[in-house]
Amino acid sequence: MPDKEAAVLSETYLPSFADYTLAEPNVLVLDRAQYSLDDGPWQEAEEMLRLDASVRRACGYQLRTANFPQPWLEPVKPVEHMIQLRYSVSSQVEKPSVELAFEFAEGAQVMWNGQAVPMEPSGFFVDASIQKVKLGALRQGENELLIRMPFGPGVDLENGYLLGDFGVRVTGDRAILEELPQKLAFGSIVHQGLPFYGGNLTYSCTVETDGSDVMLEIPEYFAALLRIELDGQSRQLYAEPYRVTFTD
C-alpha cells in the first residue's frame, strides 16, 4: 500500500496487451538430434546430454559425469572420430535469414537444407565459445540442419540455438516456428511465442494522468531486473513489493 500520508485518488490497470520490442533475435533451442558416428547408421533422435553419453560409451571414453582432472591439466588427446548431428526444424513461416549458434569443434562443417554453410563467424551467442554462423533462408515446412565435426574425449556435445525473427510454439518435445505475436500480454511469455527467449524485453504503452504523482505496481512478478520509464523519468525495481512512484 502507499505511504499513510498519500491518498489514492484513482486506480486503473494497464492495457491487457502492449506493443513490445526484443533486444536480440528470438531463440529455438536445438536440444534433440539424430546422430551418426563415423558415417555409421543414423540413430534415433535423442536429447543432447544422453546423446553425448551414448557416443562416449561407443568410443570407449569417460562420461562427462565421471571424476577426472580439468581438461587443461591433462595432455591433449587426439580426435579419432567423426560425429554427425541432424536436426529437423518445422516452420509455418518463411524468413529471409536465420542464424545458428553452436559450440563447434575445430573443422566443423554445416549443411542447411542441402546447402553448405560458409563457416564465417558472425559474433557469438551468450558465451564467446558459442559461435554464430549465418544459415540463410528459413523455408515453410521442414528444414534440415546437418552438423559434421570431429569428436574426441575433449569435445562436449551441447545444445545448439537457432536465432531469428520468428515465434516458437512448443507442444511436448516438438517445436514449430511461427510468426511473432503483434502484441504481448502482461504475464508469462512462454506461451506467447517466446519460450526460450532470455534477452531484454520492452513493453510500451500509453497511460493518461492528471499531473499528480503516479504509483505503478507490478504484482506477482518473477523474472529479472525491471526498468520503468515514464516521460523521461526512469526507475529500477529489483525486489518486492515492485512499486515505484513518479512525481508530477
PDB file of all heavy atoms in Angstrom, residues 3 17 43 54 86 88 90 98 101 108 122 126 151 163 170 182 186 209 216 227 236 244 247:
ATOM      1  N   ASP A   3       2.310   5.066   1.074  1.00  0.00           N
ATOM      2  CA  ASP A   3       2.577   5.636   2.387  1.00  0.00           C
ATOM      3  C   ASP A   3       1.278   6.168   2.995  1.00  0.00           C
ATOM      4  O   ASP A   3       0.361   6.588   2.294  1.00  0.00           O
ATOM      5  CB  ASP A   3       3.591   6.785   2.264  1.00  0.00           C
ATOM      6  CG  ASP A   3       4.948   6.274   1.797  1.00  0.00           C
ATOM      7  OD1 ASP A   3       5.217   5.074   1.993  1.00  0.00           O
ATOM      8  OD2 ASP A   3       5.697   7.080   1.226  1.00  0.00           O
ATOM      9  N   PHE A  17      -2.884  -5.933 -23.446  1.00  0.00           N
ATOM     10  CA  PHE A  17      -1.845  -6.214 -24.429  1.00  0.00           C
ATOM     11  C   PHE A  17      -1.073  -4.933 -24.717  1.00  0.00           C
ATOM     12  O   PHE A  17      -1.640  -3.845 -24.703  1.00  0.00           O
ATOM     13  CB  PHE A  17      -2.445  -6.769 -25.720  1.00  0.00           C
ATOM     14  CG  PHE A  17      -2.982  -8.166 -25.596  1.00  0.00           C
ATOM     15  CD1 PHE A  17      -4.256  -8.386 -25.099  1.00  0.00           C
ATOM     16  CD2 PHE A  17      -2.205  -9.262 -25.953  1.00  0.00           C
ATOM     17  CE1 PHE A  17      -4.749  -9.677 -24.971  1.00  0.00           C
ATOM     18  CE2 PHE A  17      -2.690 -10.545 -25.828  1.00  0.00           C
ATOM     19  CZ  PHE A  17      -3.973 -10.762 -25.338  1.00  0.00           C
ATOM     20  N   GLN A  43      21.079 -42.924 -35.887  1.00  0.00           N
ATOM     21  CA  GLN A  43      20.378 -43.331 -34.673  1.00  0.00           C
ATOM     22  C   GLN A  43      19.179 -42.410 -34.431  1.00  0.00           C
ATOM     23  O   GLN A  43      19.145 -41.277 -34.900  1.00  0.00           O
ATOM     24  CB  GLN A  43      21.326 -43.280 -33.467  1.00  0.00           C
ATOM     25  CG  GLN A  43      22.613 -44.079 -33.660  1.00  0.00           C
ATOM     26  CD  GLN A  43      22.346 -45.556 -33.891  1.00  0.00           C
ATOM     27  OE1 GLN A  43      21.532 -46.159 -33.197  1.00  0.00           O
ATOM     28  NE2 GLN A  43      23.030 -46.125 -34.875  1.00  0.00           N
ATOM     29  N   SER A  54      25.928 -41.585 -24.944  1.00  0.00           N
ATOM     30  CA  SER A  54      25.882 -42.764 -25.813  1.00  0.00           C
ATOM     31  C   SER A  54      27.100 -42.810 -26.732  1.00  0.00           C
ATOM     32  O   SER A  54      27.707 -43.873 -26.929  1.00  0.00           O
ATOM     33  CB  SER A  54      24.604 -42.759 -26.650  1.00  0.00           C
ATOM     34  OG  SER A  54      23.458 -42.867 -25.836  1.00  0.00           O
ATOM     35  N   ARG A  86      21.925 -34.389 -36.866  1.00  0.00           N
ATOM     36  CA  ARG A  86      20.904 -33.977 -37.829  1.00  0.00           C
ATOM     37  C   ARG A  86      19.654 -33.511 -37.084  1.00  0.00           C
ATOM     38  O   ARG A  86      19.098 -34.234 -36.261  1.00  0.00           O
ATOM     39  CB  ARG A  86      20.567 -35.132 -38.771  1.00  0.00           C
ATOM     40  CG  ARG A  86      19.594 -34.754 -39.883  1.00  0.00           C
ATOM     41  CD  ARG A  86      19.589 -35.804 -40.984  1.00  0.00           C
ATOM     42  NE  ARG A  86      19.086 -37.090 -40.517  1.00  0.00           N
ATOM     43  CZ  ARG A  86      19.153 -38.227 -41.213  1.00  0.00           C
ATOM     44  NH1 ARG A  86      19.737 -38.218 -42.420  1.00  0.00           N
ATOM     45  NH2 ARG A  86      18.667 -39.349 -40.727  1.00  0.00           N
ATOM     46  N   SER A  88      15.749 -31.560 -37.411  1.00  0.00           N
ATOM     47  CA  SER A  88      14.622 -31.184 -38.259  1.00  0.00           C
ATOM     48  C   SER A  88      13.916 -29.994 -37.621  1.00  0.00           C
ATOM     49  O   SER A  88      13.531 -30.046 -36.455  1.00  0.00           O
ATOM     50  CB  SER A  88      13.651 -32.356 -38.424  1.00  0.00           C
ATOM     51  OG  SER A  88      12.557 -31.996 -39.254  1.00  0.00           O
ATOM     52  N   SER A  90      10.731 -27.524 -37.985  1.00  0.00           N
ATOM     53  CA  SER A  90       9.423 -27.323 -38.611  1.00  0.00           C
ATOM     54  C   SER A  90       9.032 -25.850 -38.522  1.00  0.00           C
ATOM     55  O   SER A  90       9.141 -25.242 -37.459  1.00  0.00           O
ATOM     56  CB  SER A  90       8.357 -28.180 -37.923  1.00  0.00           C
ATOM     57  OG  SER A  90       8.679 -29.553 -38.008  1.00  0.00           O
ATOM     58  N   VAL A  98      18.194 -16.788 -41.064  1.00  0.00           N
ATOM     59  CA  VAL A  98      18.297 -17.239 -39.677  1.00  0.00           C
ATOM     60  C   VAL A  98      19.762 -17.564 -39.403  1.00  0.00           C
ATOM     61  O   VAL A  98      20.562 -17.735 -40.328  1.00  0.00           O
ATOM     62  CB  VAL A  98      17.411 -18.477 -39.384  1.00  0.00           C
ATOM     63  CG1 VAL A  98      15.932 -18.115 -39.435  1.00  0.00           C
ATOM     64  CG2 VAL A  98      17.724 -19.622 -40.352  1.00  0.00           C
ATOM     65  N   ALA A 101      23.740 -20.820 -33.667  1.00  0.00           N
ATOM     66  CA  ALA A 101      24.763 -20.638 -32.636  1.00  0.00           C
ATOM     67  C   ALA A 101      25.096 -22.018 -32.077  1.00  0.00           C
ATOM     68  O   ALA A 101      24.198 -22.765 -31.675  1.00  0.00           O
ATOM     69  CB  ALA A 101      24.261 -19.717 -31.527  1.00  0.00           C
ATOM     70  N   ALA A 108      34.620 -28.174 -38.062  1.00  0.00           N
ATOM     71  CA  ALA A 108      33.194 -28.471 -38.219  1.00  0.00           C
ATOM     72  C   ALA A 108      32.693 -27.992 -39.579  1.00  0.00           C
ATOM     73  O   ALA A 108      33.172 -26.995 -40.136  1.00  0.00           O
ATOM     74  CB  ALA A 108      32.393 -27.820 -37.101  1.00  0.00           C
ATOM     75  N   SER A 122      29.778 -14.903 -37.177  1.00  0.00           N
ATOM     76  CA  SER A 122      29.095 -13.611 -37.192  1.00  0.00           C
ATOM     77  C   SER A 122      28.820 -13.163 -35.765  1.00  0.00           C
ATOM     78  O   SER A 122      27.744 -12.675 -35.442  1.00  0.00           O
ATOM     79  CB  SER A 122      27.789 -13.714 -37.979  1.00  0.00           C
ATOM     80  OG  SER A 122      26.934 -14.707 -37.430  1.00  0.00           O
ATOM     81  N   VAL A 126      25.525 -15.591 -26.137  1.00  0.00           N
ATOM     82  CA  VAL A 126      25.602 -15.851 -24.696  1.00  0.00           C
ATOM     83  C   VAL A 126      27.046 -15.988 -24.215  1.00  0.00           C
ATOM     84  O   VAL A 126      27.452 -15.374 -23.241  1.00  0.00           O
ATOM     85  CB  VAL A 126      24.790 -17.101 -24.292  1.00  0.00           C
ATOM     86  CG1 VAL A 126      24.889 -17.352 -22.797  1.00  0.00           C
ATOM     87  CG2 VAL A 126      23.328 -16.945 -24.689  1.00  0.00           C
ATOM     88  N   PHE A 151      35.172 -35.633 -33.366  1.00  0.00           N
ATOM     89  CA  PHE A 151      34.774 -35.911 -31.984  1.00  0.00           C
ATOM     90  C   PHE A 151      35.877 -36.681 -31.277  1.00  0.00           C
ATOM     91  O   PHE A 151      36.423 -37.648 -31.792  1.00  0.00           O
ATOM     92  CB  PHE A 151      33.480 -36.726 -31.945  1.00  0.00           C
ATOM     93  CG  PHE A 151      32.989 -37.000 -30.543  1.00  0.00           C
ATOM     94  CD1 PHE A 151      32.317 -36.017 -29.839  1.00  0.00           C
ATOM     95  CD2 PHE A 151      33.236 -38.217 -29.929  1.00  0.00           C
ATOM     96  CE1 PHE A 151      31.865 -36.240 -28.551  1.00  0.00           C
ATOM     97  CE2 PHE A 151      32.790 -38.461 -28.629  1.00  0.00           C
ATOM     98  CZ  PHE A 151      32.109 -37.473 -27.945  1.00  0.00           C
ATOM     99  N   LEU A 163      18.507 -18.827 -34.283  1.00  0.00           N
ATOM    100  CA  LEU A 163      18.193 -17.444 -33.946  1.00  0.00           C
ATOM    101  C   LEU A 163      17.542 -16.751 -35.132  1.00  0.00           C
ATOM    102  O   LEU A 163      17.986 -16.916 -36.276  1.00  0.00           O
ATOM    103  CB  LEU A 163      19.473 -16.683 -33.565  1.00  0.00           C
ATOM    104  CG  LEU A 163      20.395 -17.344 -32.535  1.00  0.00           C
ATOM    105  CD1 LEU A 163      21.672 -16.521 -32.378  1.00  0.00           C
ATOM    106  CD2 LEU A 163      19.689 -17.504 -31.209  1.00  0.00           C
ATOM    107  N   VAL A 170       5.716 -24.579 -28.553  1.00  0.00           N
ATOM    108  CA  VAL A 170       6.198 -25.880 -28.077  1.00  0.00           C
ATOM    109  C   VAL A 170       5.026 -26.702 -27.562  1.00  0.00           C
ATOM    110  O   VAL A 170       4.214 -26.225 -26.770  1.00  0.00           O
ATOM    111  CB  VAL A 170       7.246 -25.715 -26.951  1.00  0.00           C
ATOM    112  CG1 VAL A 170       7.666 -27.076 -26.412  1.00  0.00           C
ATOM    113  CG2 VAL A 170       8.454 -24.944 -27.456  1.00  0.00           C
ATOM    114  N   GLN A 182       1.806  -9.884 -32.644  1.00  0.00           N
ATOM    115  CA  GLN A 182       1.822  -8.440 -32.868  1.00  0.00           C
ATOM    116  C   GLN A 182       1.982  -7.683 -31.555  1.00  0.00           C
ATOM    117  O   GLN A 182       2.662  -6.657 -31.489  1.00  0.00           O
ATOM    118  CB  GLN A 182       0.525  -8.006 -33.562  1.00  0.00           C
ATOM    119  CG  GLN A 182       0.372  -8.536 -34.982  1.00  0.00           C
ATOM    120  CD  GLN A 182       1.431  -7.986 -35.922  1.00  0.00           C
ATOM    121  OE1 GLN A 182       1.683  -6.782 -35.933  1.00  0.00           O
ATOM    122  NE2 GLN A 182       2.046  -8.847 -36.697  1.00  0.00           N
ATOM    123  N   PHE A 186       0.639  -8.962 -20.640  1.00  0.00           N
ATOM    124  CA  PHE A 186       1.437  -8.974 -19.411  1.00  0.00           C
ATOM    125  C   PHE A 186       1.247 -10.343 -18.753  1.00  0.00           C
ATOM    126  O   PHE A 186       0.120 -10.803 -18.564  1.00  0.00           O
ATOM    127  CB  PHE A 186       0.999  -7.849 -18.479  1.00  0.00           C
ATOM    128  CG  PHE A 186       1.359  -6.484 -18.985  1.00  0.00           C
ATOM    129  CD1 PHE A 186       0.408  -5.663 -19.568  1.00  0.00           C
ATOM    130  CD2 PHE A 186       2.667  -6.033 -18.902  1.00  0.00           C
ATOM    131  CE1 PHE A 186       0.748  -4.404 -20.049  1.00  0.00           C
ATOM    132  CE2 PHE A 186       3.028  -4.778 -19.371  1.00  0.00           C
ATOM    133  CZ  PHE A 186       2.058  -3.964 -19.953  1.00  0.00           C
ATOM    134  N   THR A 209      -2.778  10.597 -17.294  1.00  0.00           N
ATOM    135  CA  THR A 209      -2.723  11.046 -15.903  1.00  0.00           C
ATOM    136  C   THR A 209      -3.222  12.485 -15.803  1.00  0.00           C
ATOM    137  O   THR A 209      -3.351  13.181 -16.816  1.00  0.00           O
ATOM    138  CB  THR A 209      -1.282  10.969 -15.356  1.00  0.00           C
ATOM    139  OG1 THR A 209      -0.489  11.959 -16.016  1.00  0.00           O
ATOM    140  CG2 THR A 209      -0.667   9.594 -15.596  1.00  0.00           C
ATOM    141  N   LEU A 216       3.157   3.012  -9.810  1.00  0.00           N
ATOM    142  CA  LEU A 216       2.978   1.815 -10.624  1.00  0.00           C
ATOM    143  C   LEU A 216       3.310   0.594  -9.776  1.00  0.00           C
ATOM    144  O   LEU A 216       4.361   0.542  -9.141  1.00  0.00           O
ATOM    145  CB  LEU A 216       3.896   1.847 -11.842  1.00  0.00           C
ATOM    146  CG  LEU A 216       3.866   0.598 -12.730  1.00  0.00           C
ATOM    147  CD1 LEU A 216       2.507   0.454 -13.416  1.00  0.00           C
ATOM    148  CD2 LEU A 216       4.982   0.640 -13.764  1.00  0.00           C
ATOM    149  N   ARG A 227      13.159  -2.104 -15.379  1.00  0.00           N
ATOM    150  CA  ARG A 227      13.395  -0.669 -15.502  1.00  0.00           C
ATOM    151  C   ARG A 227      12.113  -0.046 -16.051  1.00  0.00           C
ATOM    152  O   ARG A 227      11.587  -0.495 -17.074  1.00  0.00           O
ATOM    153  CB  ARG A 227      14.566  -0.361 -16.430  1.00  0.00           C
ATOM    154  CG  ARG A 227      14.905   1.144 -16.439  1.00  0.00           C
ATOM    155  CD  ARG A 227      16.141   1.451 -17.262  1.00  0.00           C
ATOM    156  NE  ARG A 227      15.880   1.286 -18.682  1.00  0.00           N
ATOM    157  CZ  ARG A 227      16.816   0.936 -19.562  1.00  0.00           C
ATOM    158  NH1 ARG A 227      18.029   0.657 -19.160  1.00  0.00           N
ATOM    159  NH2 ARG A 227      16.511   0.824 -20.850  1.00  0.00           N
ATOM    160  N   GLN A 236      14.267   1.843 -11.317  1.00  0.00           N
ATOM    161  CA  GLN A 236      14.573   0.417 -11.385  1.00  0.00           C
ATOM    162  C   GLN A 236      13.914  -0.305 -10.219  1.00  0.00           C
ATOM    163  O   GLN A 236      13.844   0.226  -9.097  1.00  0.00           O
ATOM    164  CB  GLN A 236      16.082   0.175 -11.369  1.00  0.00           C
ATOM    165  CG  GLN A 236      16.773   0.600 -12.664  1.00  0.00           C
ATOM    166  CD  GLN A 236      18.235   0.212 -12.699  1.00  0.00           C
ATOM    167  OE1 GLN A 236      18.854  -0.004 -11.672  1.00  0.00           O
ATOM    168  NE2 GLN A 236      18.786   0.123 -13.899  1.00  0.00           N
ATOM    169  N   VAL A 244       6.746   1.602  -7.722  1.00  0.00           N
ATOM    170  CA  VAL A 244       7.592   2.750  -7.978  1.00  0.00           C
ATOM    171  C   VAL A 244       6.703   3.965  -8.191  1.00  0.00           C
ATOM    172  O   VAL A 244       5.609   3.864  -8.748  1.00  0.00           O
ATOM    173  CB  VAL A 244       8.489   2.525  -9.221  1.00  0.00           C
ATOM    174  CG1 VAL A 244       7.671   2.299 -10.474  1.00  0.00           C
ATOM    175  CG2 VAL A 244       9.474   3.653  -9.421  1.00  0.00           C
ATOM    176  N   THR A 247       6.750  11.363  -9.831  1.00  0.00           N
ATOM    177  CA  THR A 247       6.181  12.626  -9.326  1.00  0.00           C
ATOM    178  C   THR A 247       5.807  13.560 -10.447  1.00  0.00           C
ATOM    179  O   THR A 247       6.460  13.598 -11.509  1.00  0.00           O
ATOM    180  CB  THR A 247       7.179  13.314  -8.389  1.00  0.00           C
ATOM    181  OG1 THR A 247       8.408  13.554  -9.112  1.00  0.00           O
ATOM    182  CG2 THR A 247       7.479  12.440  -7.182  1.00  0.00           C
TER     183      THR A 247
END
